[in-house]
Amino acid sequence: MNEVQIRETVLHVLGAIAPEADLSQLNPEARLRDQLDIDSMDFLNFVIGLHDELHVDIPEKDYGQLATLAGCVQYLIAAMGRPGSRRAE
Amino acid sequence: MSDFLMPKLGADMTAGTLVAWRKRVGDPIRRGDIVAEVDTDKGIIDIESFSDGILEALLVEPGTSVPVGTPLARIQAAGETAATVRPASQSPAPGSPTSPASQPAPVTGPSPALISQAELARLRISPSARQRARELGVDPRELTGTGRGGAITREDVERAAAARIVPASQASSSQTPTPAVAPPVPAGVPAAANAPPPPAERTLRMRQAIAAAMARANREIPHYYLSTTIDLHAALQWLTRQNEDRPVTGRLLYGVLLLKAAALALREVPELNAFWQDDRPVRQESIHLGVAISLRGGGLIAPALHNADRKSLDELMHDLRDLVARVRTGGIRSSELADPTITVTSLGEQGVEGVYGVIYPPQVALVGWGRVVERPWCVAGQVVPRPLITATLAGDHRATDGHRGSVYLAAVERLLQQPEQL
């Protein structure tokens, strides 16, 4: 999966959590929490959504790296390339 | 025989609009089964039955708005024989106000929604076809039988179901699919009658419902407010260790620890778990936490986490996730709106350190949680950084005094120091 596909997947999962948001206006460098009014339950559902779509189990200590869209994409590229990551493919 | 009534889902509700029947005449009903969907100021709510039996007759058609207390259907208790069908227009509407707008709409003439048990018995239809008709939501009276002597067969039912066109507005996935339950709307009901109001109107109606309840609370309830600062070090450390070993789908949020502590502390100060009714406090045996959940479009509702004191943290987490999801996508049950015995609100995630709430009548208390902040704290004579949270209690001074309220907050604090026992 390449960067564009990962970004699309992240936006898809976010869209399910904040269906009213216009994700095309998202600033990739700004915090998702501030832009989308995401609470801790939404964030947990976001992490679960990424897990379901990409088969990556993100430990809680890494949550800080998912604060922005750009951060999410970078983190997921690295996580999916790691040996032992729980990719289904 | 019992009447299935338009329920009162909160102090502010006076009327509701029947959106759809989820059961058909002749269906067995168990207490807690979802029988109908009703549109209220809080959105479309799944209405549960309070009794067991057989659904004998439907008295109100989808699209009709009726006052709280109006009989919507009759349920025949197990073992009873079918009662004589009495016209719905003669049904009393207990407790209904007298303004013309709130009179139940008279149900006149035959209607696809009004099929009595006796009428079904006259139809020539095999038991298996009748069962299939129920499953598929087909009205057997509209079918022409092709079986022996004109009897309606299973195939007739299935053909009719296949030919039926489901309006797009009903084909949406807004409700959890439940096998063996009839489709939400009988064939032939115009979709327009069931179309939800536009979002702006819904938001306004919710605003007005909140306005009514909160104005009443401020008018009638002499609030007192207490607050305390709680060290969450032990609770958060324990939680971090727990979550390290858990898959992402099994992780706990710290909010669940707060909910459990708030529920358990009510056992020690049960007078806070009460309703103010008829000029006296009435203690509630079960502890149903009303969890304030903000809607993304604005407004909020506070449905119940039932028996929160008796549930494990994992059960509470599961139930909370489920509740939040259903608040946002639909499928809140009537008991969840009607049952809360106390409200818990957590505005900390929006960044404030403390919240002093307005009690939701007839409840007599509200617990508020602020943001977790890291601050210097004295532990055994040393100043150390600690994660702190402000817990508040708004109490109804008619029902309790500040002393008992402070005992309650002290219990919450003590419980949170031993998270492994929550």
Side-chain angles (χ1 to χ4, degrees):
Chain A
M1 196 177 259
N2 63 31
E3 186 176 335
V4 173
Q5 289 168 315
I6 289 176
R7 184 184 307 272
E8 270 171 17
T9 306
V10 171
L11 289 174
H12 171 71
V13 174
L14 279 175
I17 288 159
E20 79 290 351
D22 180 3
L23 296 176
S24 64
Q25 299 296 309
L26 216 53
N27 176 351
E29 306 295 336
R31 290 168 61 86
L32 293 170
R33 192 172 280 241
D34 300 336
Q35 295 182 87
L36 297 176
D37 192 15
I38 284 176
D39 63 17
S40 58
M41 180 66 81
D42 293 325
F43 192 79
L44 179 63
N45 285 328
F46 175 57
V47 176
I48 291 173
L50 293 176
H51 172 260
D52 291 345
E53 296 275 341
L54 300 173
H55 313 285
V56 174
D57 203 346
I58 302 166
E60 210 177 46
K61 64 178 168 51
D62 291 350
Y63 282 5
Q65 298 180 53
L66 305 178
T68 67
L69 177 60
C72 282
V73 174
Q74 267 183 355
Y75 177 86
L76 290 167
I77 290 170
M80 291 172 72
R82 263 200 305 268
S85 82
R86 291 209 215 154
R87 286 191 64 181
E89 296 88 355
Chain B
M1 194 202 62
S2 60
D3 282 333
F4 174 71
L5 306 175
M6 175 62 74
K8 188 172 180 68
L9 306 172
D12 41 341
M13 176 167 163
T14 56
T17 302
L18 179 72
V19 174
W21 289 108
R22 293 274 288 271
K23 298 279 186 186
R24 311 276 299 185
V25 165
D27 280 353
I29 306 286
R30 277 199 311 272
R31 188 184 159 88
D33 281 357
I34 295 165
V35 178
E37 291 172 35
V38 164
D39 195 3
T40 73
D41 298 329
K42 299 182 175 74
I44 293 175
I45 306 300
D46 292 341
I47 310 296
E48 301 159 278
S49 173
F50 282 105
S51 51
D52 297 323
I54 305 284
L55 188 58
E56 187 184 298
L58 307 176
L59 305 175
V60 172
E61 286 190 71
T64 313
S65 177
V66 297
V68 165
T70 304
L72 299 174
R74 271 201 308 277
I75 295 172
Q76 180 193 326
E80 268 184 357
T81 50
T84 319
V85 178
R86 75 193 139 111
S89 54
Q90 288 171 20
S91 307
S96 66
T98 50
S99 73
S102 59
Q103 285 300 317
V107 180
T108 51
S111 140
L114 307 178
I115 320 170
S116 75
Q117 190 85 319
E119 220 174 332
L120 266 181
R122 283 196 300 273
L123 281 174
R124 294 179 65 87
I125 177 169
S126 70
S128 123
R130 182 170 308 185
Q131 167 73 25
R132 195 73 185 125
R134 269 206 297 273
E135 287 167 5
L136 296 171
V138 170
D139 182 351
R141 294 173 314 170
E142 293 171 351
L143 303 184
T144 310
T146 61
R148 190 177 298 170
I152 296 162
T153 66
R154 204 180 156 87
E155 288 69 36
D156 293 333
V157 171
E158 286 172 349
R159 211 168 20 248
R164 187 181 52 198
I165 297 158
V166 179
S169 68
Q170 291 157 30
S172 74
S173 58
S174 67
Q175 52 220 344
T176 322
T178 316
V181 169
V185 177
V189 175
N194 306 307
E201 189 192 325
R202 185 172 289 290
T203 305
L204 175 62
R205 279 169 50 194
M206 179 172 283
R207 206 61 259 158
Q208 288 168 337
I210 294 169
M214 294 299 99
R216 178 182 157 199
N218 249 19
R219 194 166 58 238
E220 295 179 3
I221 302 176
H223 287 67
Y224 66 82
Y225 302 101
L226 307 173
S227 119
T228 193
T229 303
I230 297 177
D231 180 1
L232 283 185
H233 174 76
L236 295 183
Q237 287 250 312
W238 179 83
L239 187 69
T240 301
R241 278 197 307 273
Q242 283 288 313
N243 281 346
E244 273 171 10
D245 298 335
R246 288 163 176 258
V248 59
T249 47
R251 283 178 205 158
L252 300 171
L253 295 174
Y254 77 85
V256 169
L257 303 185
L258 304 182
L259 288 170
K260 185 70 184 287
L264 284 177
L266 284 170
R267 288 183 181 171
E268 300 180 32
V269 190
E271 56 266 51
L272 290 172
N273 192 59
F275 293 148
W276 184 261
Q277 284 169 333
D278 301 325
D279 267 332
R280 70 193 48 157
V282 181
R283 282 194 202 179
Q284 302 298 304
E285 274 188 30
S286 302
I287 293 173
H288 303 314
L289 297 185
V291 184
I293 298 170
S294 298
L295 302 178
R296 299 197 70 89
L300 84 163
I301 68 172
L305 274 181
H306 287 127
N307 300 305
D309 60 318
R310 301 212 296 262
K311 286 186 172 141
S312 70
L313 292 173
D314 285 301
E315 286 171 314
L316 276 180
M317 183 66 208
H318 171 271
D319 290 2
L320 181 65
R321 270 193 80 201
D322 174 53
L323 204 57
V324 172
R326 284 187 291 117
V327 161
R328 292 184 175 159
T329 60
I332 289 290
R333 289 166 159 251
S334 49
S335 62
E336 289 167 334
L337 279 189
D339 284 352
T341 54
I342 186 170
T343 299
V344 180
T345 186
S346 182
L347 285 182
E349 304 217 2
Q350 276 74 42
V352 295
E353 282 190 34
V355 48
Y356 297 85
V358 182
I359 297 166
Y360 188 68
Q363 298 165 24
V364 300
L366 179 146
V367 181
W369 296 101
R371 175 164 58 110
V372 180
V373 291
E374 194 168 53
R375 293 281 154 82
W377 195 246
C378 286
V379 180
Q382 300 289 314
V383 179
V384 290
R386 281 286 165 94
L388 307 178
I389 195 166
T390 301
T392 61
L393 179 77
D396 182 340
H397 218 326
R398 298 172 302 180
T400 63
D401 303 319
H403 171 67
R404 294 299 287 164
S406 76
V407 169
Y408 173 76
L409 283 183
V412 170
E413 177 171 16
R414 172 169 43 74
L415 288 161
L416 282 169
Q417 303 316 311
Q418 291 167 319
E420 66 286 350
Q421 289 176 26
L422 284 173

